[in-house]
Amino acid sequence: MSARPSRAVRRPLAAVACGAALTLALGACSSSGDDDGGAGGGKGKGTASDGSRPQLKISGAYVPQPPTDKMAGGFLTVRNSGGTADELTSVSSDVAGEVEIHRTVKQRMEKVDSLRVPAHGTLTLGRGGNHLMLMDLERKPVKGQTVTFVLHFAESGSVTVKAPVEATNYTPEK
């Protein structure tokens, strides 16, 4: 007798596998909390008393290999050691026709026009919170490749970042 499952068993298994892949792809769009990481979608520019310009440093950038070829998530941290707030206003990428900026509020994601990078503060784009959604993929990012992001800030101009593509279930060390 064959160890191969019958056709009746294989169809539900295929449906479960497809559902699991979709869950992983959209995992970046869920949250376990109400915090928006200290980043707002407002247009206000906070200025500290020292009046210095924003001084941005990008770290921890990565893209998990997406299970489908439709969309992917992008994650990174922006640290501002300057005395003036800045805003992430748009993002472009070499693998996506469009990159949306999303924030997560009450376990729901929403597209926003910008995210605030506070003076002497941090904007974190990570799993389960604020993040980038790479839409209309021109090619599926594969582990071992890199994705180039151009981050556009209201005060600091454009910053280019190379993000490694990691395994689908990759979690950075804290």
Side-chain angles (χ1 to χ4, degrees):
M1 185 153 144
S2 170
R4 191 171 163 183
S6 72
R7 184 173 271 176
V9 172
R10 284 189 301 225
R11 282 192 183 125
L13 288 176
V16 169
C18 286
L22 184 57
T23 299
L24 284 171
L26 297 177
C29 299
S30 66
S31 174
S32 59
D34 296 344
D35 184 28
D36 73 351
K43 292 286 183 184
K45 293 180 175 71
T47 303
S49 59
D50 67 9
S52 68
R53 295 194 47 77
Q55 296 176 19
L56 305 181
K57 180 178 178 185
I58 315 301
S59 63
Y62 73 98
V63 173
Q65 179 175 313
T68 72
D69 59 359
K70 303 287 184 212
M71 66 180 126
F75 309 108
L76 53 89
T77 300
V78 182
R79 286 184 179 78
N80 181 1
S81 60
T84 302
D86 207 339
E87 282 183 275
L88 176 63
T89 58
S90 67
V91 180
S92 56
S93 171
D94 62 336
V95 300
E98 179 180 8
V99 180
E100 295 181 355
I101 302 170
H102 288 183
R103 75 175 180 170
T104 303
V105 178
K106 296 182 181 179
Q107 300 183 353
R108 296 198 54 158
M109 73 168 188
E110 59 187 26
K111 180 182 172 185
V112 294
D113 293 331
S114 64
L115 288 173
R116 190 167 185 264
V117 186
H120 303 291
T122 302
L123 167 62
T124 301
L125 302 178
R127 290 184 186 265
N130 299 334
H131 58 278
L132 303 175
M133 286 300 299
L134 290 77
M135 313 295 285
D136 303 324
L137 293 177
E138 295 167 8
R139 66 174 170 84
K140 179 180 175 178
V142 177
K143 183 180 176 190
Q145 296 177 340
T146 59
V147 171
T148 301
F149 289 116
V150 180
L151 309 173
H152 304 276
F153 294 94
E155 298 293 325
S156 301
S158 299
V159 178
T160 300
V161 177
K162 299 259 185 208
V165 179
E166 302 289 355
T168 302
N169 61 350
Y170 173 78
T171 303
E173 293 181 23
K174 298 282 178 179

